[in-house]
Amino acid sequence: MALLKILRYPDPRLHKIAKPVTEFGTEHLRQLVKDMAETMYDAPGVGLAATQVDVHERVVVIDVSETTDQLLVFVNPEITWASDEKQVYDEGCLSVPGIYDGVERPARVKVKAYDVEGKEFELDADGLLAVCIQHEMDHLMGKVFVEYLSPLKRNRIKAKLQKEERGMERDAALRAARR
């Protein structure tokens, strides 16, 4: 297993639309899921879409359990029903570190997906799991949660993260120069 590099907003690769997985049960797909799960747990986070690690396939891993031992894997997920009832949930994102803001989404969803071996399943979700499924599926469509926020907030977040990125690059260059 390996930790994967998580793309940071506003990286343009986060806006690529993921392609459906066409081959199931492959070593590539099994390894991708293992690496994504390890990366998500290490971050730490509760969900990760393949898009966030620069793999543009429709694969999502989620674990909203308190014990972090209930990994859910969704390959080619699709929301087949969403409630009219909405809820606002304070969302964060591994690609937008340190930023949290309220996003309104359907309170309950039904999702159809496949497991790594290609077996189809359906799941009814509410609460944090429903939010997480919708959030990660947005990534597969090239959308980051900050796009639900006002342009002013989004621009402030982009500027803050770009400034942090420049600082990390500068620090890395200084460390390299000292060697």
Side-chain angles (χ1 to χ4, degrees), residues 71-87:
L71 183 69
L72 299 172
V73 178
F74 300 86
V75 180
N76 297 341
E78 153 189 353
I79 291 175
T80 59
W81 175 84
S83 67
D84 290 334
E85 177 192 351
K86 305 285 188 207
Q87 69 179 8

Side-chain angles (χ1 to χ4, degrees), residues 19-76:
K19 295 186 179 347
V21 171
T22 56
E23 293 184 38
F24 296 88
T26 64
E27 186 53 36
H28 162 77
L29 186 57
R30 283 188 195 99
Q31 192 62 51
L32 175 62
V33 167
K34 285 178 188 171
D35 291 347
M36 285 175 60
E38 183 179 357
T39 302
M40 175 189 72
Y41 288 129
D42 182 72
V46 295
L48 187 68
T51 301
Q52 293 176 271
V53 293
D54 202 22
V55 176
H56 303 283
E57 298 174 27
R58 295 185 58 77
V59 179
V60 167
V61 295
I62 294 174
D63 187 343
V64 296
S65 70
E66 301 252 340
T67 51
T68 62
D69 61 355
Q70 295 174 30
L71 183 69
L72 299 172
V73 178
F74 300 86
V75 180
N76 297 341

